[in-house]
Amino acid sequence: MDLRIFTEPQQGATYDTLLAVAKATEDLGFDAFFRSDHYLRMGTVDGLPGPTDAWITLAGLARETKRIRLGTLMTAGTFRLPGVLAIQVAQVDQMSGGRVELGLGAGWFEEEHKAYGIPFPKEKFARLEEQLEIVTGLWATDPGKTFDFHGTYYDLTDSPALPKPAQRKIPVLVGGHGPSRTPRLAAKYADEFNMPFGSVEDSERQFGRVRAAAAEAGRGDELTYSNALVVCVGRDDAEVARRAAAIGREVDELKLNGLAGSPSEVVDKIGRYAEAGSSRIYLQVLDLDDLDHLELISAQVQSQLP
């Protein structure tokens, strides 16, 4: 079971804070540092000092880390043109020495689009399918050849399909709860399917849908299946309660909907997700100043996992 650290910087974080978390992620033996792609805070937090851009952040971290994978859950398809996104991600992959992964989603948070003047189209899912085809197609085009795409929303003619990533293939993540179109997209374009904030039972059901779609598409069982879950671990009940209060959540709710409690409780629940088919967990860490939390998870959770 891989454990990855997943941050939500729109809730309030500077680049220096994210760098400290990324370096702790690397030093403590976690597999990867991922971040969300949002420009507006959610809930009652003030979000200060304001948003940071996902791919600018990852470009900086690419030069300041050495081992960990770097990526997004999920880059909003509404934020960037697919040709531009392919260039950005390939460049950051080069900057990292081939450690980048791209989670790409349709985009859903209408308020942030209004706040920053970003168009919020109605037909987001159909656009996402074209974006996935374009981004993966540009990267897969042989050097010296050109890429063309003529779709409903995007039109590319004689693209040199450059630059190329450092990796032979950048892993692409698709995720979500949708029962039909999402599994189909994952089966066609993804290397990994991510189930965000779902129960063990819902994850097992959705993983089954994706496997069925992959089989129908003629793919073997090569997809990675993962979960994203909020994490709140403490050595005792008081420490769990303190960490829950720091992120404005209730302990019982966190235990129900995430990975919360003592290290042994969290290890047990991760085991249930593993039985459902998950081999990777993105730990949503909401208090980015609490690096002791990461140390505890590394020492007493990660160390107990197979």
Side-chain angles (χ1 to χ4, degrees), residues 61-298:
L61 297 179
R63 307 302 289 177
E64 300 196 75
T65 58
K66 294 180 173 62
R67 177 188 59 81
I68 52 174
R69 307 289 294 177
L70 301 166
T72 51
L73 283 181
M74 298 281 188
T75 287
T78 48
F79 286 179
R80 299 168 178 87
L81 296 171
V84 175
L85 180 62
I87 292 170
Q88 291 172 318
V89 178
Q91 183 179 5
V92 178
D93 193 53
Q94 291 173 356
M95 294 167 70
S96 72
R99 294 183 285 123
V100 159
E101 304 186 9
L102 171 64
L104 185 58
W108 61 271
F109 191 16
E110 186 173 5
E111 287 80 1
E112 69 186 338
H113 293 74
K114 291 178 179 178
Y116 287 96
I118 303 168
F120 190 70
K122 291 182 179 179
E123 57 293 298
K124 292 181 292 299
F125 201 91
R127 287 175 181 268
L128 173 62
E129 183 162 11
E130 290 194 7
Q131 290 163 345
L132 285 163
E133 185 169 350
I134 291 166
V135 170
T136 57
L138 286 168
W139 292 336
T141 299
D142 291 334
K145 295 186 178 180
T146 59
F147 177 82
D148 289 80
F149 179 87
H150 307 292
T152 303
Y153 308 103
Y154 304 101
D155 199 285
L156 287 74
T157 301
D158 292 334
S159 172
L162 298 172
K164 296 303 182 192
Q167 298 175 82
R168 183 188 62 80
K169 186 181 189 308
I170 290 179
V172 172
L173 290 75
V174 170
H177 297 256
S180 56
R181 292 192 299 175
T182 296
R184 179 179 58 80
L185 275 193
K188 189 172 183 180
Y189 296 106
D191 302 282
E192 177 177 336
F193 177 78
N194 179 262
M195 182 65 169
F197 311 110
S199 68
V200 172
E201 295 76 18
D202 287 344
S203 298
E204 186 172 22
R205 189 177 305 113
Q206 187 71 331
F207 292 163
R209 294 184 184 120
V210 175
R211 285 195 182 91
E216 186 175 340
R219 296 185 66 180
D221 195 21
E222 70 240 37
L223 269 75
T224 297
Y225 295 87
S226 64
N227 288 88
L229 295 160
V230 63
V231 66
C232 180
V233 186
R235 295 172 181 83
D236 52 37
D237 290 345
E239 191 167 75
V240 175
R242 174 177 64 78
R243 289 200 162 108
I247 60 174
R249 303 280 285 269
E250 297 292 331
V251 172
D252 289 346
E253 178 267 322
L254 286 170
K255 287 188 176 185
L256 178 65
N257 297 313
L259 299 172
S262 67
S264 61
E265 287 180 285
V266 171
V267 168
D268 287 346
K269 192 163 186 183
I270 289 174
R272 292 174 58 201
Y273 279 98
E275 290 173 0
S278 184
S279 62
R280 181 172 291 159
I281 304 287
Y282 293 82
L283 302 173
Q284 186 196 45
V285 177
L286 295 176
D287 185 354
L288 299 181
D289 294 315
D290 187 2
L291 298 183
D292 290 342
H293 193 196
L294 299 187
E295 291 181 8
L296 175 63
I297 296 168
S298 173

